[in-house]
Amino acid sequence: MKEFFNVETIEGVLAHVPSFMPVDTETVALAECLGRVLAEDAYSDVDIPEFNRSTMDGFAVKASSTFGASEANPAYLTVRGQIRMGAQPDFSIGPGDAARIATGGMLPEGADSVIMVEHTDTLDNTTIEAYRSVAPGQHVIEKGEDIRHTEPALTRGTRIRPQEAGLLAACGRTEIPVFRRPRVGIISTGDEVVPVDRVPGEGQIRDINTQTLSGQVLAAGGIPVVFGIVGDNRKDLMEKCRRALERTDMVMISGGSSVGARDFTVEVLDALPDTEILVHGISISPGKPTILARSGGKAFWGLPGHAVSAMVVFAVVVRPFLDRLCGLTQTARQFPIQATLNRNLASAQGRVDYVRVRLLEDGGLIKAEPILGKSGLINTMVKADGLIAIDMNTEGLEKGTTVEVIPL
């Protein structure tokens, strides 16, 4: 019987992330860049904004002209004109002057602030009263305050969300250099596994993992490439692995990673050229019998066959490697939700336990309710809102403990 290598900590596994290189790059249109990762720093061709602009409807003034103004003692200002939107003012502002301006308008020379129209009263066509004082720069965005053309607007390795796409548009970028979306091969193994469209016979189960892992790959920015189901046949698995390594940037096999007479993953990896097993066994539950290998410079994963185990291992361990392939400079963070545990929860020392939880509201507090079940029960993931981690040096958590819930 095959034995586990020395079981590695999660931190030890993640230490291998920098040793894998991001995929190559390509250029896409601005309209197609959402969700992609920048492959180089992005600069604007102009300062943003290119001029001092108003953030309020009101009057452009020298701030010093309003100092001390109040309802009891208003400042009287002479209106020199009105600033048209999209046009450069053809006059300047001196002490005691004002110019009508709309939100987004360009401040005339000499003006350094804007007093809101609500804080003024019009006496005639050329005179207003100001009832509030303003400070220099108040209600104004200064030239280059948003983005300076000499500095990167966005840095290499940034995931492009709608706000980043908007910034790139403001920078005048119509084509964006991005990292190619990594292709991730997915193989399911086991004589007992049958396609989704087949009714399982005695002792058989439908192929769940291809669907769950494909979804996780897509959500992380990769492209799942499905290679189907392989029975417990070493030759067939070897051929499928060769094809997957040739056509993708990372490979995941579900099943065949534990200690068992018919588990061929380690044997296949040993037989593949330029392949090194880095990890066989992780101090995590569920998901201890996980394999990480490097084959021709590509990450090759042997994941547990149970659906929950495979999903948890992907979320905790595999995702950072895929983020690296995507070109992200930092692993995307899932900010945890603070919640209170609503029951005692036991755990075994020597491993990090990831427990599925449902979030409930109770008296204005967020409570975390553990969903207990075996790692082969996919319905426990459907019921869960997230995961909580119990440290490997902890025997469990008591009811009332504040926990951090990693959203699913």
Side-chain angles (χ1 to χ4, degrees), residues 40 61 78 91 129 176-177 182 199 209 216 229 265 271 274 278 310 367 375 379:
E40 62 183 46
V61 298
T78 301
F91 58 88
E129 290 180 323
I176 315 299
V199 177
N209 290 346
Q216 288 181 297
I229 303 167
T265 302
D274 191 21
L278 303 175
K367 298 291 184 73
S375 59
N379 79 84

Side-chain angles (χ1 to χ4, degrees), residues 180-352:
R180 177 175 55 79
R181 293 177 65 193
R183 294 167 58 85
V184 180
I186 299 174
I187 304 170
S188 290
T189 67
D191 287 340
E192 75 280 13
V193 182
V194 298
V196 175
D197 59 359
R198 183 183 303 176
V199 177
E202 293 292 332
Q204 295 180 327
I205 57 171
R206 286 190 170 110
D207 180 15
I208 298 173
N209 290 346
T210 292
Q211 304 307 312
T212 54
L213 293 173
S214 292
Q216 288 181 297
V217 168
L218 280 170
I223 299 174
V225 182
V226 176
F227 287 89
I229 303 167
V230 183
D232 294 317
N233 181 291
R234 184 179 182 279
K235 181 180 178 181
D236 291 346
L237 182 57
M238 173 70 79
E239 177 58 28
K240 193 80 76 171
C241 289
R242 288 184 187 276
R243 288 175 52 205
L245 285 167
E246 289 172 358
R247 301 180 186 181
T248 65
D249 305 295
M250 184 169 79
V251 179
M252 297 187 296
I253 292 180
S254 62
S257 62
S258 61
V259 179
R262 295 187 304 160
D263 294 333
F264 302 119
T265 302
V266 172
E267 294 178 14
V268 168
L269 288 172
D270 283 337
L272 286 171
D274 191 21
T275 299
E276 174 190 8
I277 296 178
L278 303 175
V279 176
H280 189 185
I282 304 176
S283 54
I284 183 175
S285 177
K288 179 180 178 181
T290 295
I291 298 168
L292 168 62
R294 186 198 316 277
S295 185
K298 300 177 181 180
F300 192 113
W301 294 92
L303 304 181
H306 287 155
V308 174
S309 300
M311 290 189 72
V312 169
V313 170
F314 183 97
V316 176
V317 182
V318 180
R319 174 69 185 264
F321 285 80
L322 184 52
D323 287 343
R324 170 71 171 171
L325 295 186
C326 286
L328 286 169
T329 52
Q330 286 187 320
T331 296
R333 292 188 61 190
Q334 283 274 30
F335 291 98
I337 299 167
Q338 298 285 327
T340 303
L341 196 62
N342 72 351
R343 55 159 288 174
N344 293 336
L345 197 57
S347 175
Q349 288 186 311
R351 69 188 188 193
V352 179

